[in-house]
Amino acid sequence: MKSKAILLGLLSIGFFATSCSSDDNNGETIVPIQGKYNLRQTGSIVGGQEVLIDAVANQAGCPGDYLDLRLSNAAVYGDYNGSECALTETTGTYVRSHNDLTLTINGVTTTSDIMNLTNKELKIKDKVSGAITVYSR
């Protein structure tokens, strides 16, 4: 009985020690980035205000274009075009470093800030052009 009390005491101390540790993740989101994201909106910052519109890249009458970030660090961009909604998939790679996302597709590399990453949304801002792209899961 005494050994059970000691074990319970040690477990309690362990729980308190871990719960008191710093939960600061330096502003980095901890949601995994892997997943398929549907292109929803694009935009930029105008006069200090974020301006977003429905993504014009999405072909009317077709499913929305998408970005599929796979566990293997493969990035697949799906583009629906034409009256038949023909799907063209282009494969590249991605690297996530803290809140930066670097995509290389068709030999073109872009690095973006991850503005928002939740279970339902990925919002990125291109570091060079300032273009904002919003995807939903």
Side-chain angles (χ1 to χ4, degrees), residues 101 109-113 115 124-133:
L101 176 64
T109 299
T110 58
T111 301
S112 301
D113 289 318
M115 298 175 71
I124 57 176
K125 180 180 175 188
D126 187 283
K127 286 186 178 265
V128 175
S129 69
I132 297 172
T133 308

Side-chain angles (χ1 to χ4, degrees), residues 45-50:
I45 306 267
V46 178
Q49 296 285 332
E50 188 176 286

Side-chain angles (χ1 to χ4, degrees), residues 25-41:
N25 59 4
N26 296 323
E28 180 178 347
T29 182
I30 56 175
V31 174
I33 198 164
Q34 292 84 13
K36 186 175 179 180
Y37 298 91
N38 299 305
L39 178 60
R40 192 174 81 219
Q41 295 177 306

Side-chain angles (χ1 to χ4, degrees), residues 77-95:
Y77 185 76
D79 182 23
Y80 291 95
N81 276 311
S83 60
E84 300 294 319
C85 296
L87 172 63
T88 302
E89 287 188 325
T90 308
T91 302
T93 60
Y94 77 93
V95 175

Side-chain angles (χ1 to χ4, degrees), residues 10-85:
L10 289 174
L11 285 173
S12 297
I13 291 170
F15 287 131
F16 286 120
T18 57
S19 66
C20 293
S21 67
S22 174
D23 291 333
D24 183 15
N25 59 4
N26 296 323
E28 180 178 347
T29 182
I30 56 175
V31 174
I33 198 164
Q34 292 84 13
K36 186 175 179 180
Y37 298 91
N38 299 305
L39 178 60
R40 192 174 81 219
Q41 295 177 306
T42 58
S44 62
I45 306 267
V46 178
Q49 296 285 332
E50 188 176 286
V51 177
L52 299 173
I53 60 170
D54 290 339
V56 295
N58 286 336
Q59 175 88 23
C62 296
D65 294 350
Y66 63 86
L67 177 63
D68 188 359
L69 302 176
R70 299 182 177 168
L71 191 58
S72 64
N73 287 78
V76 178
Y77 185 76
D79 182 23
Y80 291 95
N81 276 311
S83 60
E84 300 294 319
C85 296

